[in-house]
Amino acid sequence: MSIKIFLDGQLVDKEDAKVSVFDHGFLYGDGIFEGIRYYNGKIFREKQHIDRLWDSAKTVNIEIPMTKQEVVKAINDTVKANGFTDAYIRLIVSRGEGNLGIDPRSCKRPSVIVIAQALSLYPAEFYEKGIKIVTASTIRNPSDSLSPRVKSLNYLNNIMAKIEAHVAGCEEALMLNHKGDVCECTGDNIFIIRNGKLLTPPIDACILEGVTRNVVIEICKELGLECAEAAFTRHDVYTADECFLTGSAAELIPVVAVDGRAIGDGKPGKITNQILAAFADFVRRDNSRIE
Ligand code: PXG
């Protein structure tokens, strides 16, 4: 049986899920997206993802041709049509089909696409042993360019940084912002821990405000751990006791080396593992729904 894709109001077979070569999402990366987790038959952090999609759409001036309720139904229908209870969902809104030329006015109707995939988990080794990352020379786009808070279909900047990581034999790259402060990784937010206190870059450090990041901040409150959102530099990362990354795909991944410097004792840290365990519990309790 072919997997079903939601494409502009209909569930179609993967083979028939085609978009035009004149779609501005394809021609110019002119569109937005969300990467969402489905756990135990439910959208994880439904409200946060749907609101972020609407916020991205507002900034790039795309009018999503569906209501939030309709988009949530499209996600649930797609997951059910494929018989999943746990899945990774890619929700895409492109500016739609238009003419050659960047003029968005030629695009008459944005396209809405939902792809549900069986979870393709990272190797267990990443979580048990942690990963090594390296600082990229490519910086995160500054907020006076396209806001990094928009989850746009144009990820080339981050892809350039990811290639730098691969060239250096690492899985992920640490991106700095235009001020030289630590920003985030190419598809994950970053946390460091020193003397039992967590620290993550603030929104105005040009990060994407990750849904998983915000869950970790909530978990810290529940566990009574101090967690600050404040600017820091690579020095703070090198000298941290622990470090981990967060993202919808990765959940929480320990980082054990940055630019060849071991973090702490070079093994996933105790507090990181404590938050990882609390995250698994949080996922089961999540009840975030749109109004
Ligand atoms: N920063 C950036 C730049 C991201 O793209 C995150 C942080 C984490 O946000 P969430 O809301 O997921 O906690 C992201 C999102 C992938 C992939 O295939 C991951 C993202 C986006 C696109 C692809 O790993 N992460």
Side-chain angles (χ1 to χ4, degrees), residues 193-262:
I193 306 172
R194 191 159 191 198
N195 298 330
K197 293 179 190 160
L198 288 92
L199 191 57
T200 194
I203 310 302
D204 65 6
C206 298
I207 63 164
L208 180 88
E209 188 181 353
V211 168
T212 322
R213 166 193 186 270
N214 290 349
V215 166
V216 166
I217 293 171
E218 276 187 45
I219 286 174
C220 285
K221 281 196 194 113
E222 289 180 6
L223 296 178
L225 291 165
E226 196 179 315
C227 180
E229 297 174 61
F232 59 90
T233 67
R234 272 187 289 174
H235 175 78
D236 301 296
V237 180
Y238 298 154
T239 56
D241 302 324
E242 301 184 30
C243 177
F244 64 87
L245 310 181
T246 63
S248 296
E251 299 179 331
L252 257 81
I253 291 193
V255 172
V256 291
V258 181
D259 298 335
R261 280 83 159 170

Side-chain angles (χ1 to χ4, degrees), residues 3-4 34-45 49 74-91 114-121 247-251 279 283:
I3 76 159
K4 300 280 186 203
E34 281 295 317
I36 308 172
R37 278 289 191 117
Y38 211 84
Y39 294 108
N40 299 321
K42 281 187 289 188
I43 301 173
F44 181 58
R45 302 265 93 179
H49 282 290
I75 295 171
N76 286 323
D77 289 351
T78 310
V79 172
K80 288 198 179 91
N82 291 292
F84 297 133
T85 45
D86 290 87
Y88 182 73
I89 292 146
R90 183 57 54 92
L91 170 59
V114 180
I115 307 169
Q117 241 185 16
L119 283 182
S120 56
L121 298 174
S248 296
E251 299 179 331
F279 185 84
V283 159

Side-chain angles (χ1 to χ4, degrees), residues 33 52 90 122 140 151 155 158 184-189 208 210-212 246-249:
F33 75 102
R52 189 171 65 183
R90 183 57 54 92
Y122 290 108
R140 191 76 170 97
K151 214 160 155 54
Y155 254 58
N158 294 33
E184 60 181 338
C185 290
T186 66
D188 297 295
N189 293 111
L208 180 88
V211 168
T212 322
T246 63
S248 296

